[in-house]
Amino acid sequence: MPVILRQLAEWVGGEVVGDADTPIDAARPLSDAQAGDITFAEDDRHIEQMHHCPAAAAVVPLKTTLTVKPLIRVGDPLMAFAQIAQRLKGPPPPPPTGVHPLACVHPTATIGHDVCIDPFAVIGPGCVIGARCRIGSGVNLGSNCHLGDDVTLHPNVVLYAGCILGRSVIVHSNTVIGADGFGYRPHDGRQVKVPQLGHVEIGDDVEIGACTTIDRGTFGPTRIGAGTKIDNLVQIAHNCQVGQHNLFVSQVGIAGSSSAGDHVVIAGQSGIADHIHIGARAIIGAMAGVHKNVPDGAAMLGIPATPIIEQKRILKTLEKLPKMRQELMQIKKALRLPDEPADDATT
Amino acid sequence: MPVILRQLAEWVGGEVVGDADTPIDAARPLSDAQAGDITFAEDDRHIEQMHHCPAAAAVVPLKTTLTVKPLIRVGDPLMAFAQIAQRLKGPPPPPPTGVHPLACVHPTATIGHDVCIDPFAVIGPGCVIGARCRIGSGVNLGSNCHLGDDVTLHPNVVLYAGCILGRSVIVHSNTVIGADGFGYRPHDGRQVKVPQLGHVEIGDDVEIGACTTIDRGTFGPTRIGAGTKIDNLVQIAHNCQVGQHNLFVSQVGIAGSSSAGDHVVIAGQSGIADHIHIGARAIIGAMAGVHKNVPDGAAMLGIPATPIIEQKRILKTLEKLPKMRQELMQIKKALRLPDEPADDATT
Amino acid sequence: MPVILRQLAEWVGGEVVGDADTPIDAARPLSDAQAGDITFAEDDRHIEQMHHCPAAAAVVPLKTTLTVKPLIRVGDPLMAFAQIAQRLKGPPPPPPTGVHPLACVHPTATIGHDVCIDPFAVIGPGCVIGARCRIGSGVNLGSNCHLGDDVTLHPNVVLYAGCILGRSVIVHSNTVIGADGFGYRPHDGRQVKVPQLGHVEIGDDVEIGACTTIDRGTFGPTRIGAGTKIDNLVQIAHNCQVGQHNLFVSQVGIAGSSSAGDHVVIAGQSGIADHIHIGARAIIGAMAGVHKNVPDGAAMLGIPATPIIEQKRILKTLEKLPKMRQELMQIKKALRLPDEPADDATT
């Protein structure tokens, strides 16, 4: 049965502008939309592209006036479009439940109800798996891991012994939680391993990307607070204490024993030195290198990181640096100041 | 039966200089070559090392004159040496074909002819696997993945549902394709997940290194163009549109919705911000941070990235910065300009 | 049976100060210590925190004078505390030995005594596994890998064909050793793969973190010297020759054919260009970019890396750069030098 624009608007509580009976086949983003599709636009730049887009209709912000095609106006077009796309696709098939005969579950593990454990997963002795957890194929849980309800571990995730995950945690494929921290003591020219006896504790609603590593504490826990979201290829070293509702973008690295308050954002490829505290609500720009404590609410950028307003001033002046040098030489000449022979006058 | 230099030269269409009957046992690079070996040199620096190398003979560029040992002169010594090394080693054993009894292939999957599926691999419902594909152990294909002919997935690669790979794609171990993009909406101090409903499309002849992550699009595809080569530990975020025949070196990160034309080179550890376009044939130097569109054919360097010629001028002047500051103070003194007390005169 | 402080001191050869009969329940770090625990302090900052810590006793450095609780004084409090923590925990259960019935071991592989091979591991043809090795679940060994005695491969590690690991090597989960190097030749606008025919050799007592990649050599070996420790998410490209007892911190990248002497330290997120030599005992600071050879014993920092003393001088001056520019303009004004109209006078 075909769907019309009015129905879509009802699903998301939006307002139709134009022909509410426009039939809609599918939901696709602007760059891929075809005739018969509904698409969406988040800002003015996208709305301009509407003129060249064959889509039959679009989800747009409340203030948008556009007459080239029928619209659904909503407060958050992206989220409304996501809802529409999901409903048009139909619900995903209900995940199977039960332990696959080719999974290895230790007899001392406790498995909640409606859990799905895929083939080639290994659940170690003493593990406790909450209700409705989904354990992908090739996942390995060391001994005594505890998973809250509704946890999803995608294929090939590894949890070392003793990891504790809260409810509704999602971990993407090939991420490793609880490996030994990088701790050695130099002794007679060799590096002697410091035993890594701690574990990892992850709060409710945390999501962790693919190929990320979170090391176990040396003696106590490495902690990730509830609601924090961590992207792919991130390194969180031993003993870190990360607050709630943080966002750590891809390829960020946080060295040992550092901590972050709540609502911290660290943009891509930034590095935080060891034993540093990042205050609550701080924002660390991309590719920054932080080696001092950051106060609550600060915005930092650069290597070494400084307040963003200072860093931008430095960066802007930096572009003029070769010119500044020429001016300096001009001034010295005008003043007949001696030019040291060791100095290279070419720039 | 021993091989002599003349035969090797025939294999690669090269010209022998010196004793063509020199017997050759094995092929080893300069640093490891032993008596009886053939080795190779690509440039003058390597050719100098020939004097101290026990190898019996060497593959060298066309213009090389060297009398210390017999030579094979060719246009591309590295590729000729690779051919020789492969032939001396003998062909690798033909890969086994068939589905290992300990692989889990969903009954609705379609498997091409002469496919090899190793133990502990999982092929989800609705997958289509082209002819002669090699699926390593521990590989996981989510539902409805499509693989062209001659695709190689090394052990423990994970493809989430709906990934489409062209012909002759190679993916190295522990790489994850199609995981959810890092998309959240702040709401009441929490991060609400934006559903990631898209997929990943990878063109023919793409090679992807180990432990690399390529996220699925939010609604449509993340795309990697034909012939593009991606190194280890690279992050390609959701919705990226990467052109053909690109080279992305290790630890590069490309943020969401960015795009690259054809024949782009991005050197190691560089970062590209979100919603950026890198023009065709552009070259991004190592450790660069790009946060503006890059025109076709441009060469960029630095954080933030500027045209390489400007960046080199900046970097060269930067070395002289402390000296410039001293000169400034000297000038101010000569001019009897006031020095503000707040300023720290030491460098 | 409860343990008292005197016994703990005997275990680690320490000196008791205060009540040697204090009963001890458990060992926890300062931030997590509870009543009845023993904790430890490494430096004055930690010792201050002792006043607010409910622990019953503490392991402290030799010189410490502190009267708030009984102490054990030792030369290396961290290592002594680790010993105590391990003994209080009791020994880990002896690892099981034997090949799990759901592991796939090729009949031509040679398995040493007391080896443990977990389920879903794959041991390829011609592999040789030393005594007491522990092969985690989901590990994949390509053909002809050689492991010395007492090697531990954590779950989902992948070794491509021909890797050679010395004695007591530890490799953490999802690390990939021996994947093809990133080698291509441009030809007619395409990238033609250079066959990667070499292998990887890893010395005794090397430890490698999680999600790290070490590529095979093009023709010969990529080498990691004995005693070297490598953190998570590190990239070591093809043909690298790494010396002994090095420390490479997380997210470091070393490009092709570079080498390092012995006792080198490379801090987090640094990059080393290709064909570079890092001299013995050199220290490369965090986030440095090295593209020239580094002499023995040098300490380098910055992008591009310079001797740390120079870099610190540059960084310090950099903070004053906007001010320097203002001063320059002031001087030009005082000297009535012309200001070019193209120049933007705002900072």
Side-chain angles (χ1 to χ4, degrees):
Chain A
M1 219 176 91
V3 189
I4 59 166
L5 198 62
R6 183 182 300 111
Q7 289 171 281
L8 271 51
E10 280 164 15
W11 293 348
V12 298
E15 175 204 3
V16 175
V17 183
D19 182 3
D21 292 317
T22 307
I24 300 296
D25 297 329
R28 287 197 184 85
L30 255 175
S31 51
D32 291 271
Q34 299 166 16
D37 285 356
I38 188 158
T39 189
F40 79 109
E42 282 196 274
D43 52 35
D44 291 345
R45 197 164 50 107
H46 288 145
I47 285 161
E48 257 177 55
Q49 296 172 43
M50 284 292 164
H51 295 271
H52 317 289
C53 167
V59 183
V60 295
L62 287 175
K63 60 184 166 48
T64 305
T65 56
L66 188 75
T67 55
V68 291
K69 58 190 69 187
L71 305 174
I72 297 175
R73 283 192 190 138
V74 292
D76 185 342
L78 178 97
M79 283 307 237
F81 184 74
Q83 259 183 282
I84 289 170
Q86 276 183 308
R87 276 190 79 157
L88 289 178
K89 262 192 165 180
T97 56
V99 178
H100 193 281
L102 286 171
C104 263
V105 178
H106 196 274
T108 61
T110 307
I111 310 294
H113 59 83
D114 296 322
V115 163
C116 171
I117 300 182
D118 283 338
F120 317 131
V122 176
I123 311 293
C127 285
V128 178
I129 312 284
R132 297 171 304 280
C133 284
R134 302 175 60 182
I135 310 294
S137 69
V139 167
N140 187 286
L141 267 60
S143 57
N144 300 310
C145 289
H146 281 59
L147 273 53
D149 295 342
D150 300 296
V151 168
T152 300
L153 304 181
H154 285 277
N156 293 353
V157 163
V158 176
L159 270 56
Y160 281 50
C163 290
I164 299 171
L165 274 59
R167 284 189 299 172
S168 303
V169 169
I170 301 170
V171 185
H172 288 281
S173 285
N174 290 10
T175 278
V176 178
I177 299 176
D180 285 357
F182 195 65
Y184 303 93
R185 279 294 215 235
H187 183 73
D188 276 354
R190 289 158 182 275
Q191 301 294 342
V192 179
K193 186 173 173 73
V194 176
Q196 302 291 314
L197 306 169
H199 63 288
V200 176
E201 286 179 21
I202 292 182
D204 297 344
D205 297 309
V206 168
E207 182 164 6
I208 300 170
C211 294
T212 276
T213 56
I214 301 176
D215 285 348
R216 67 199 303 103
T218 309
F219 300 111
T222 300
R223 282 193 185 94
I224 310 290
T228 285
K229 312 296 183 185
I230 298 173
D231 203 350
N232 303 332
L233 293 164
V234 170
Q235 152 76 353
I236 297 184
H238 52 177
N239 307 318
C240 283
Q241 307 289 314
V242 173
Q244 299 190 357
H245 309 296
N246 288 10
L247 289 176
F248 293 173
V249 182
S250 182
Q251 295 175 321
V252 158
I254 304 187
S257 301
S258 284
S259 55
D262 296 339
H263 301 286
V264 168
V265 176
I266 307 184
Q269 297 186 329
S270 287
I272 313 294
D274 58 295
H275 293 88
I276 293 300
H277 179 69
I278 310 289
R281 300 176 312 285
I283 296 174
I284 312 296
M287 291 186 131
V290 179
H291 68 124
K292 286 182 186 164
N293 290 344
V294 172
D296 288 1
M300 308 293 283
L301 189 67
I303 309 173
T306 68
I308 195 167
I309 201 162
E310 288 177 25
Q311 190 66 212
K312 285 194 167 169
R313 210 176 285 146
I314 291 169
L315 291 176
K316 201 169 171 192
T317 319
L318 209 49
E319 291 171 23
K320 305 189 196 299
L321 191 59
K323 189 160 176 302
M324 283 172 65
R325 184 162 153 74
Q326 284 177 324
E327 290 174 340
L328 252 182
M329 288 192 295
Q330 202 186 333
I331 293 167
K332 284 171 69 181
K333 208 171 163 189
L335 292 176
R336 294 168 205 270
L337 288 176
D339 210 31
E340 293 153 73
D343 187 20
D344 170 18
T346 63
T347 53
Chain B
M1 219 175 92
V3 190
I4 59 166
L5 197 62
R6 183 182 300 110
Q7 289 170 281
L8 272 51
E10 281 164 13
W11 294 347
V12 298
E15 175 204 4
V16 175
V17 182
D19 182 2
D21 292 316
T22 308
I24 300 296
D25 298 330
R28 286 199 184 85
L30 255 174
S31 51
D32 290 270
Q34 298 166 17
D37 285 354
I38 188 160
T39 189
F40 80 109
E42 283 196 274
D43 53 34
D44 290 347
R45 197 165 50 108
H46 288 144
I47 286 162
E48 256 177 56
Q49 295 173 43
M50 285 291 166
H51 296 271
H52 316 290
C53 166
V59 183
V60 295
L62 287 175
K63 59 184 168 44
T64 305
T65 56
L66 188 75
T67 55
V68 291
K69 57 190 68 184
L71 305 174
I72 297 175
R73 283 191 189 140
V74 292
D76 186 341
L78 178 97
M79 283 307 239
F81 184 74
Q83 258 182 280
I84 290 170
Q86 276 183 308
R87 276 189 79 157
L88 288 178
K89 261 193 164 180
T97 56
V99 177
H100 193 281
L102 285 172
C104 264
V105 179
H106 197 273
T108 61
T110 307
I111 310 295
H113 59 82
D114 295 324
V115 162
C116 171
I117 301 182
D118 282 339
F120 317 131
V122 175
I123 312 292
C127 286
V128 177
I129 312 285
R132 294 172 306 278
C133 284
R134 303 175 60 182
I135 311 294
S137 70
V139 167
N140 186 287
L141 267 59
S143 57
N144 300 309
C145 289
H146 282 58
L147 272 53
D149 295 342
D150 300 295
V151 168
T152 300
L153 304 182
H154 285 276
N156 293 352
V157 163
V158 176
L159 270 55
Y160 281 50
C163 291
I164 300 172
L165 274 60
R167 284 188 299 172
S168 303
V169 170
I170 300 171
V171 185
H172 288 280
S173 285
N174 290 10
T175 277
V176 178
I177 299 177
D180 286 355
F182 195 64
Y184 304 92
R185 279 292 213 238
H187 183 74
D188 276 354
R190 288 160 182 275
Q191 302 293 340
V192 179
K193 184 174 174 73
V194 177
Q196 302 291 313
L197 306 169
H199 63 288
V200 177
E201 286 179 22
I202 292 182
D204 297 344
D205 296 309
V206 168
E207 183 163 6
I208 300 170
C211 295
T212 275
T213 56
I214 301 177
D215 285 348
R216 66 199 305 102
T218 309
F219 300 111
T222 300
R223 282 193 186 93
I224 310 291
T228 285
K229 312 296 183 184
I230 298 173
D231 201 351
N232 303 333
L233 293 165
V234 170
Q235 151 76 352
I236 296 184
H238 53 177
N239 307 317
C240 284
Q241 306 290 314
V242 174
Q244 300 190 355
H245 308 295
N246 288 9
L247 290 175
F248 293 172
V249 181
S250 182
Q251 295 176 321
V252 158
I254 304 187
S257 301
S258 285
S259 56
D262 297 338
H263 300 287
V264 169
V265 176
I266 306 183
Q269 297 187 329
S270 286
I272 313 293
D274 57 296
H275 294 88
I276 293 299
H277 179 69
I278 309 290
R281 299 175 313 284
I283 296 173
I284 311 297
M287 291 185 132
V290 179
H291 68 123
K292 286 181 188 165
N293 290 344
V294 173
D296 289 2
M300 308 292 285
L301 189 67
I303 309 174
T306 68
I308 196 167
I309 200 163
E310 288 176 25
Q311 190 66 212
K312 284 194 168 168
R313 210 176 284 145
I314 291 169
L315 291 175
K316 201 170 171 190
T317 320
L318 209 49
E319 290 172 23
K320 303 188 197 301
L321 191 58
K323 191 165 174 300
M324 282 172 66
R325 185 163 154 73
Q326 284 177 325
E327 289 174 341
L328 252 181
M329 290 192 293
Q330 203 185 334
I331 293 166
K332 284 171 69 179
K333 205 172 166 188
L335 293 176
R336 293 168 206 269
L337 288 176
D339 210 31
E340 292 154 75
D343 188 20
D344 170 18
T346 62
T347 54
Chain C
M1 218 176 94
V3 189
I4 59 166
L5 198 62
R6 183 181 300 109
Q7 289 170 282
L8 272 51
E10 280 164 14
W11 293 347
V12 298
E15 174 204 4
V16 175
V17 183
D19 182 2
D21 292 316
T22 307
I24 300 296
D25 298 328
R28 287 198 184 86
L30 254 175
S31 52
D32 291 88
Q34 297 166 17
D37 286 353
I38 188 159
T39 189
F40 80 109
E42 284 196 273
D43 51 35
D44 290 346
R45 196 166 50 107
H46 287 145
I47 285 161
E48 256 175 57
Q49 295 172 42
M50 284 292 166
H51 296 271
H52 315 290
C53 167
V59 183
V60 296
L62 287 174
K63 59 182 169 45
T64 306
T65 56
L66 187 78
T67 54
V68 290
K69 57 189 69 182
L71 305 174
I72 298 175
R73 283 191 189 140
V74 291
D76 185 341
L78 178 97
M79 283 306 238
F81 184 74
Q83 259 182 280
I84 289 170
Q86 277 183 307
R87 277 190 79 157
L88 288 178
K89 262 193 164 180
T97 57
V99 178
H100 193 281
L102 286 171
C104 264
V105 179
H106 197 273
T108 60
T110 307
I111 309 295
H113 59 82
D114 295 323
V115 162
C116 170
I117 301 182
D118 283 339
F120 318 130
V122 175
I123 311 293
C127 285
V128 178
I129 312 286
R132 295 172 304 279
C133 285
R134 302 175 60 182
I135 311 293
S137 69
V139 167
N140 186 285
L141 267 60
S143 56
N144 299 310
C145 290
H146 281 58
L147 272 54
D149 294 342
D150 300 295
V151 167
T152 300
L153 304 181
H154 285 276
N156 294 352
V157 163
V158 176
L159 270 55
Y160 282 50
C163 291
I164 300 171
L165 273 60
R167 284 189 298 173
S168 303
V169 169
I170 300 170
V171 185
H172 288 280
S173 284
N174 290 10
T175 278
V176 178
I177 298 177
D180 286 356
F182 196 64
Y184 303 93
R185 278 293 213 235
H187 183 72
D188 277 353
R190 289 160 182 276
Q191 301 293 341
V192 179
K193 185 173 173 74
V194 176
Q196 302 291 313
L197 306 169
H199 63 287
V200 176
E201 287 179 21
I202 293 181
D204 297 344
D205 296 309
V206 168
E207 182 164 6
I208 301 171
C211 295
T212 276
T213 57
I214 302 176
D215 285 348
R216 66 200 305 103
T218 309
F219 300 111
T222 300
R223 282 193 185 92
I224 309 292
T228 284
K229 312 296 183 183
I230 298 174
D231 201 349
N232 302 334
L233 293 164
V234 170
Q235 152 75 354
I236 297 184
H238 52 177
N239 307 318
C240 284
Q241 306 290 314
V242 173
Q244 300 191 356
H245 308 296
N246 288 9
L247 290 176
F248 294 171
V249 181
S250 183
Q251 296 175 322
V252 159
I254 305 187
S257 301
S258 284
S259 57
D262 296 339
H263 300 287
V264 168
V265 176
I266 306 184
Q269 297 186 330
S270 287
I272 313 294
D274 57 296
H275 293 88
I276 293 300
H277 180 69
I278 309 290
R281 300 176 312 285
I283 295 173
I284 312 296
M287 291 186 133
V290 179
H291 67 124
K292 286 181 187 165
N293 289 344
V294 172
D296 288 2
M300 308 292 285
L301 190 66
I303 309 173
T306 67
I308 196 167
I309 201 162
E310 288 177 26
Q311 190 67 213
K312 284 194 166 168
R313 211 177 283 146
I314 291 170
L315 291 175
K316 201 170 171 188
T317 320
L318 208 49
E319 291 171 23
K320 304 188 197 301
L321 191 58
K323 190 163 176 303
M324 282 172 66
R325 184 162 152 73
Q326 285 177 324
E327 290 173 339
L328 252 181
M329 289 191 296
Q330 200 186 336
I331 293 166
K332 283 172 69 181
K333 206 172 165 189
L335 292 177
R336 294 168 203 272
L337 287 177
D339 210 31
E340 293 153 74
D343 188 18
D344 171 18
T346 63
T347 53

